[in-house]
Amino acid sequence: SSILPNPAEVCEGSDLLLNGNPSGGSGIYTNHLWTGAHVDSLNNPNIQSPIFQSDNSGAFLIFYAVTDNNGCIGNSSIVIDVFENPVAAILPDPASVCPGASLILNGNPSGGSGVFVNHLWTGVGTSSLDNVNIQSPTFGQPNPGNYNLTYTVTDDNGCQGSDNITVEVL
């Protein structure tokens, strides 16, 4: 067997579908067994294609054994790299501004790989931003009220972090 996907990479808290990908033997596989120190991160250690998920970053060594209907066993192993998610912490918080005045927001990303490839602001307040695809857009709104925003950052591993804020226009 040759475990797929290879390389096995996933972000913290995300699902990674593994496949023991057995081959050879009689071709009739009667038993699948995943083992290792982190087997508790699998949704089922007794199937060919379990889902792996961990809330901790690091390298996880997992072993797979398959038995055919003749009792012959094949073994394989794989290292699953779990990447740390970036963190977003919008500043200023709390955020308030006078009608018509400008307020520079900062998504303030950190962690993850440290290489941030995508910034996205969403929510009802986005029409008040000068750019929804940068880390530090300028907010400006002539109408008093509360404007909710979510900032999501993606690093070069594809891992994401987000934060929410309500900007109060006084």
Side-chain angles (χ1 to χ4, degrees):
S1 69
S2 175
I3 300 171
L4 297 175
N6 190 8
E9 300 172 337
V10 67
C11 302
E12 291 171 324
S14 295
D15 290 348
L16 177 66
L17 179 62
L18 297 175
N19 184 345
N21 196 30
S23 60
S26 71
I28 300 171
Y29 307 111
T30 58
N31 190 36
H32 305 272
L33 180 62
W34 296 83
T35 58
H38 304 287
V39 72
D40 59 340
S41 296
L42 297 174
N43 70 328
N44 185 340
N46 299 305
I47 60 175
Q48 177 180 328
S49 296
I51 295 172
F52 175 91
Q53 185 187 83
S54 177
D55 291 330
N56 299 308
S57 60
F60 297 80
L61 178 61
I62 302 285
F63 301 93
Y64 171 70
V66 61
T67 306
D68 69 12
N69 62 342
N70 292 324
C72 298
I73 299 173
N75 293 293
S76 191
S77 65
I78 194 164
V79 173
I80 301 169
D81 289 317
V82 179
F83 300 126
E84 176 186 352
N85 289 322
V87 175
I90 300 171
L91 294 174
D93 186 13
S96 61
V97 64
C98 294
S102 295
L103 175 67
I104 296 174
L105 297 173
N106 184 346
N108 196 29
S110 62
S113 71
V115 179
F116 308 116
V117 296
N118 190 27
H119 306 273
L120 180 62
W121 294 82
T122 57
V124 296
T126 55
S127 62
S128 303
L129 297 176
D130 65 339
N131 189 332
V132 297
N133 298 113
I134 61 174
Q135 177 181 327
S136 296
T138 300
F139 179 94
Q141 174 56 247
N143 301 311
N146 291 322
Y147 298 87
N148 298 318
L149 292 165
T150 298
Y151 167 73
T152 302
V153 61
T154 306
D155 69 13
D156 61 349
N157 288 324
C159 300
Q160 294 184 329
S162 64
D163 190 24
N164 302 304
I165 195 165
T166 299
V167 178
E168 181 182 11
V169 179
L170 306 170

